[in-house]
Amino acid sequence: MKSYKAGKIQLFLPLPAIFGGLMGLMGWYFSIPIFTSLIPDGPTMKFNTALVFIILGSYLSLNQFFDSKRLLKVLLIFTLAFSLITILEYLNIFEISIDNFFIYDRHSSIYPGRMSPATAFSFLVLSTAALFYKSENQLVAGSIHVMLLMILGIALLSLITYILNIPAQNKVFFLSTMAFPTSVILILLNASILLQRPDFGFTSLMTSQYQGSKFIRLFMPFLLVFPIILSYCLIAMINNDSLNLDFGIILYTVVFIFISLSYTGVIALAFNTADEERKKLLVELESSNINLSQFKDAMDHVSLVTISDPKDIILYANKNFVKTSGYTLEELLGSTHDLLKSGHHNEMFYKKMWDRLKGGNVWSGDIKYKAKNGTPYWIHTAIIPFQDENQHIYQYLSLGTDITERKKAEELLSSQYVKKLEQKNVELEQLTSIASHDLQQPMQTIINYIDLMQLEFGAELPSEAKEYLDTIKAASRRNKMMIQQLLDYSKIGKKEKPTMVNCKALLEQLEQDLQYSIQETEAEIELDELPTIEAYESGIRSIFQNLISNAIKFQKKANKPKIHISAERKEDGWCFSVEDNGIGIDPKFSSRIFNIFYRLHSEDQFKGTGIGLAHCQKIVGLHGGRIWVDSGKKEGSKFKFIIPNHILHKIDTLNDMVK
Ligand code: ADP
């Protein structure tokens, strides 16, 4: 049964016992009887009672904060001993005059100094309850619960005798000497212990949120107050002879029945109205349930649905999802979506997805899963995080559509495209290779004949003709070199397999190879931490060699080159950067400089043929990546290129390259 939390009230309930006990002790020590009875000439709270109140009150207060409960329990030995000895003395089993241990009672007429049997019995029950009420044994806890209710009744009875002004000699012996403050404090201590188990028996009935408990809570004040008022009036009227006893009792009964019926009638009416509301809500709920289940049926037909907890543990999977995954529902429930991972997506993909979801945002995208029998399948998924009122995510709803067929068609299309592309590439390479090979021969012939001419007729030739021949020879050599470079360009990427390339080691070795020009120009190269990647090693070496050589070469006169090489992890690969402090590149040429033989400067200004960056672009393209330059006109250049994670599967990027 759902119940209230006892809350702070439990903290305060034992405090009046400590306060009342202290007042009692003071009353006895300083002979102020009103401190012990609160009612002039009324029965007194005995010294031992006051003492036990202080001990029990302190125990119940400290027990809520203190850890070493065993130490506290020792306190209860005293309360048990006091109550037991008093009861045994009442039963005349023995007499040790425990009442005179601390103080001698001169006020009380009957049993001076001795607490009433009802008080002693109450202490016995309260001490036992303080020790064992939380016991897991239902019989023990249940018996204590009944005993607690019993002494609650006794204390209430005693309190009512005071409210109704019943003289001590008219009360039953059992509780005739129980003082007014003692009755009140006993009720509070009792409530404090009962609330230790708010889910138990009568306490639960009083505190739960159910209709019956609400009813009893509404009825209780009436039940406690009304009969007392009625009895008070009856006794007063009988005492001043305005009513005789017989008629008084008849009147009491009739008035009680009438008022009780009216009161319960009002409460019942309120409950009936609430019940009507509840029924209306139930009907509305049922109809929205029907709507929901129709909605769910519709979704089950078209979507793959899962609900998972914040740790991605699957709590629900619809039939469609179960069928497509090939697993049984039992296998899926309790596992995470990791069970279905195909290995297609990298860690970064999932990290990005979870970052978005944990931020409370919807994520959508295509995921490749693997069915139980190993067949891969694609789902276009939207994952929606559900948050409670404190913005805590308590579950994820994932709605997906199977797009395997679409993906297959796309892959087929791109593989056909790649095949066509490869064929065209082969044709192109053959053409370039044949053309450049055939072009080399005539060039060599020209150079040979110029050499021959200079050797045989050199002395007879006029100086102008000699100069012309030198120019023709230089141009022919340059032409031959360009043809050779074209040939090299067409061969890039042939017959090489990707390996794991340690970029840091590769660059350190490259620094050695370029030692001559580095020393000559006093260049400084700063290397950051660089990764090991899967790539074509000679290609990566060639890219860095070209970029570093350019960075050293394209400098203002007397400027010492400074080069900074770094790498950054991106979602789809590694992005490398080679930055220099050279002459910079006008942004309007930033894409043209990657064209074959394209140069921004004459041979006199800076030596070169304009094929280095074309080489770099072709190599990066073979990896499925891209290369670009960030440059201000005069502020140095920053060349960047991305080498993707999976260079062998980048069919899409190959397409991009061709476009
Ligand atoms: P080359 O170095 O033989 O001229 P590249 O293809 O390597 O050929 O470069 C093409 C052109 O791009 C160069 O001629 C130069 O104008 C420009 N360039 C390349 N790298 C740099 C750089 N680091 N700083 C300034 N300009 C550069």
Side-chain angles (χ1 to χ4, degrees):
M1 203 182 269
K2 252 189 158 183
S3 58
Y4 285 133
K5 282 224 152 189
K8 283 187 183 147
I9 188 163
Q10 229 185 312
L11 292 179
F12 297 108
L13 285 175
L15 297 184
I18 302 173
F19 179 72
L22 287 172
M23 289 278 288
L25 291 191
M26 273 169 33
W28 285 109
Y29 270 120
F30 303 112
S31 289
I32 318 171
I34 195 79
F35 274 21
T36 62
S37 63
L38 291 185
I39 296 169
D41 296 327
T44 50
M45 178 200 289
K46 300 299 175 305
F47 188 89
N48 288 346
T49 306
L51 212 59
V52 174
F53 273 150
I54 295 173
I55 300 175
L56 264 178
S58 312
Y59 173 82
L60 291 173
S61 301
L62 292 174
N63 197 36
Q64 299 178 46
F65 311 103
F66 213 48
D67 268 349
S68 59
K69 299 203 166 145
R70 223 173 255 174
L71 205 74
L72 279 178
K73 280 182 183 157
V74 175
L75 290 175
L76 296 180
I77 294 176
F78 293 103
T79 61
L80 272 172
F82 276 120
S83 46
L84 257 175
I85 293 169
T86 311
I87 291 171
L88 292 175
E89 283 185 351
Y90 270 118
L91 295 174
N92 289 326
I93 293 177
F94 64 80
E95 174 66 63
I96 55 163
S97 297
I98 189 178
D99 317 313
N100 295 331
F101 266 20
F102 304 102
I103 208 128
Y104 198 76
D105 180 3
R106 285 190 190 80
H107 300 292
S108 319
S109 43
I110 41 167
Y111 292 121
R114 185 177 291 174
M115 62 176 80
S116 77
T119 313
F121 179 65
S122 300
F123 283 154
L124 189 68
V125 174
L126 286 176
S127 310
T128 320
L131 282 170
F132 301 114
Y133 189 40
K134 283 192 174 166
S135 157
E136 290 193 353
N137 184 325
Q138 293 291 305
L139 192 67
V140 173
S143 315
I144 292 176
H145 188 71
V146 173
M147 297 296 265
L148 283 171
L149 291 179
M150 214 162 95
I151 62 163
L152 184 66
I154 294 170
L156 254 173
L157 197 66
S158 166
L159 182 65
I160 292 170
T161 62
Y162 284 105
I163 297 171
L164 297 182
N165 231 343
I166 311 283
Q169 64 273 14
N170 289 2
K171 300 183 196 175
V172 277
F173 160 73
F174 187 55
L175 49 72
S176 59
T177 55
M178 187 189 279
F180 168 67
T182 308
S183 326
V184 176
I185 295 173
L186 277 177
I187 292 172
L188 298 178
L189 284 181
N190 207 303
S192 163
I193 298 181
L194 278 170
L195 282 174
Q196 284 182 358
R197 295 195 73 162
D199 55 339
F200 204 68
F202 186 70
T203 323
S204 149
L205 191 65
M206 280 300 292
T207 57
S208 93
Q209 290 284 39
Y210 291 102
Q211 296 295 318
S213 299
K214 277 186 188 160
F215 182 83
I216 218 170
R217 277 201 294 278
L218 282 173
F219 203 58
M220 197 52 99
F222 173 82
L223 211 61
L224 286 175
V225 177
F226 179 64
I228 295 175
I229 296 175
L230 215 58
S231 307
Y232 186 85
C233 296
L234 181 69
I235 293 169
M237 285 164 95
I238 290 173
N239 281 348
N240 68 20
D241 289 335
S242 29
L243 213 61
N244 71 36
L245 185 64
D246 294 350
F247 186 68
I249 291 173
I250 294 169
L251 195 65
Y252 180 102
T253 315
V254 172
V255 172
F256 186 82
I257 293 173
F258 181 75
I259 306 266
S260 304
L261 266 178
S262 315
Y263 189 81
T264 20
V266 172
I267 299 179
L269 264 179
F271 269 79
N272 282 353
T273 321
D275 211 29
E276 228 168 85
E277 287 290 312
R278 202 169 51 86
K279 275 193 182 135
K280 257 193 219 163
L281 281 176
L282 218 66
V283 172
E284 279 172 28
L285 204 73
E286 264 168 21
S287 86
S288 70
N289 262 351
I290 292 171
N291 280 348
L292 266 177
S293 79
Q294 284 172 346
F295 186 63
K296 187 178 156 292
D297 281 351
M299 265 209 331
D300 276 350
H301 269 97
V302 287
S303 299
L304 300 122
V305 186
T306 59
I307 293 175
S308 47
D309 76 357
K311 288 184 178 153
D312 191 36
I313 290 173
I314 301 173
L315 307 171
Y316 167 82
N318 76 342
K319 272 189 199 148
N320 244 351
F321 192 93
V322 176
K323 197 172 140 204
T324 315
S325 74
Y327 287 94
T328 63
L329 184 62
E330 289 69 35
E331 284 171 322
L332 287 171
L333 298 185
S335 332
T336 65
H337 287 86
D338 284 359
L339 180 70
L340 306 163
K341 272 187 179 173
S342 62
H344 175 83
H345 309 281
N346 62 10
E347 273 170 32
M348 199 59 121
F349 173 87
Y350 290 107
K351 189 183 172 306
K352 270 202 155 184
M353 178 176 105
W354 281 112
D355 283 351
R356 231 190 118 62
L357 289 173
K358 283 182 181 157
N361 303 303
V362 174
W363 179 91
S364 71
D366 298 347
I367 306 186
K368 189 176 186 178
Y369 282 141
K370 194 166 77 180
K372 192 178 179 182
N373 62 7
T375 318
Y377 63 98
W378 280 91
I379 300 188
H380 178 70
T381 314
I383 306 176
I384 304 120
F386 281 20
Q387 294 174 317
D388 61 17
E389 59 276 11
N390 301 319
Q391 312 294 309
H392 289 145
I393 294 170
Y394 62 92
Q395 69 179 30
Y396 295 102
L397 170 71
S398 146
L399 298 173
T401 330
D402 192 336
I403 51 161
T404 313
E405 290 309 315
R406 197 187 83 196
K407 283 279 174 185
K408 268 188 192 160
E410 275 174 15
E411 273 173 21
L412 190 72
L413 219 65
S414 60
S415 72
Q416 284 170 348
Y417 192 48
V418 168
K419 265 187 200 149
K420 259 192 198 164
L421 197 76
E422 278 169 353
Q423 199 182 336
K424 284 267 174 273
N425 264 348
V426 171
E427 285 168 15
L428 204 70
E429 275 166 17
Q430 280 172 354
L431 195 76
T432 333
S433 144
I434 293 166
S436 38
H437 195 266
D438 293 351
L439 282 174
Q440 288 225 17
Q441 261 333 98
M443 267 307 138
Q444 192 54 51
T445 315
I446 294 172
I447 294 167
N448 291 347
Y449 273 92
I450 290 174
D451 282 345
L452 217 63
M453 225 167 146
Q454 281 176 330
L455 201 73
E456 286 188 23
F457 312 108
E460 297 142 44
L461 286 175
S463 62
E464 268 184 14
K466 274 186 194 164
E467 232 173 80
Y468 293 160
L469 278 180
D470 280 342
T471 316
I472 295 170
K473 201 161 100 177
S476 306
R477 279 208 178 118
R478 194 168 149 72
N479 213 348
K480 191 173 174 247
M481 192 167 81
M482 283 166 82
I483 292 165
Q484 181 57 46
Q485 284 174 342
L486 200 62
L487 201 62
D488 294 345
Y489 179 82
S490 72
K491 285 180 189 160
I492 291 175
K494 274 191 178 172
K495 289 185 193 154
E496 197 181 344
K497 289 236 155 61
T499 53
M500 292 313 286
V501 183
N502 179 340
C503 296
K504 184 95 176 183
L506 182 139
L507 271 151
E508 279 164 359
Q509 206 199 336
L510 202 59
E511 266 187 89
Q512 295 291 321
D513 298 348
L514 296 172
Q515 201 54 28
Y516 175 74
S517 57
I518 292 175
Q519 271 173 7
E520 194 185 43
T521 54
E522 293 179 56
E524 278 174 29
I525 302 181
E526 187 192 343
L527 295 184
D528 279 7
E529 270 316 306
L530 297 172
T532 297
I533 53 167
E534 188 191 17
Y536 299 102
E537 179 158 8
S538 67
I540 298 293
R541 169 188 296 274
S542 178
I543 297 175
F544 279 119
Q545 184 165 354
N546 274 308
L547 295 181
I548 295 172
S549 306
N550 280 354
I552 293 174
K553 179 166 59 170
F554 294 105
Q555 290 284 344
K556 284 169 240 136
K557 276 212 168 72
N559 202 25
K560 287 184 191 161
K562 281 198 174 128
I563 305 162
H564 178 205
I565 301 175
S566 58
E568 195 188 338
R569 188 97 177 86
K570 296 276 181 201
E571 187 195 335
D572 50 348
W574 280 95
C575 178
F576 293 87
S577 151
V578 179
E579 190 176 3
D580 64 47
N581 61 340
I583 57 170
I585 296 165
D586 190 334
K588 68 177 175 211
F589 298 115
S590 57
S591 61
R592 262 181 280 173
I593 52 170
F594 294 97
N595 291 349
I596 197 158
F597 298 132
Y598 193 90
R599 306 200 72 222
L600 298 178
H601 306 95
S602 69
E603 176 79 2
D604 299 338
Q605 287 172 290
F606 298 103
K607 293 247 174 290
T609 52
I611 201 160
L613 291 180
H615 266 271
C616 295
Q617 190 175 46
K618 187 168 177 191
I619 296 163
V620 173
L622 277 173
H623 285 87
R626 66 189 187 95
I627 184 166
W628 70 101
V629 64
D630 291 338
S631 173
K633 271 184 190 171
K634 289 179 182 153
E635 296 157 15
S637 316
K638 195 190 252 187
F639 281 87
K640 287 188 171 181
F641 61 95
I642 291 184
I643 301 295
N645 295 318
H646 302 292
I647 58 167
L648 295 173
H649 314 292
K650 284 285 162 186
I651 289 166
D652 289 350
T653 336
L654 256 169
N655 289 343
D656 292 346
M657 245 176 74
V658 181
K659 279 172 210 161

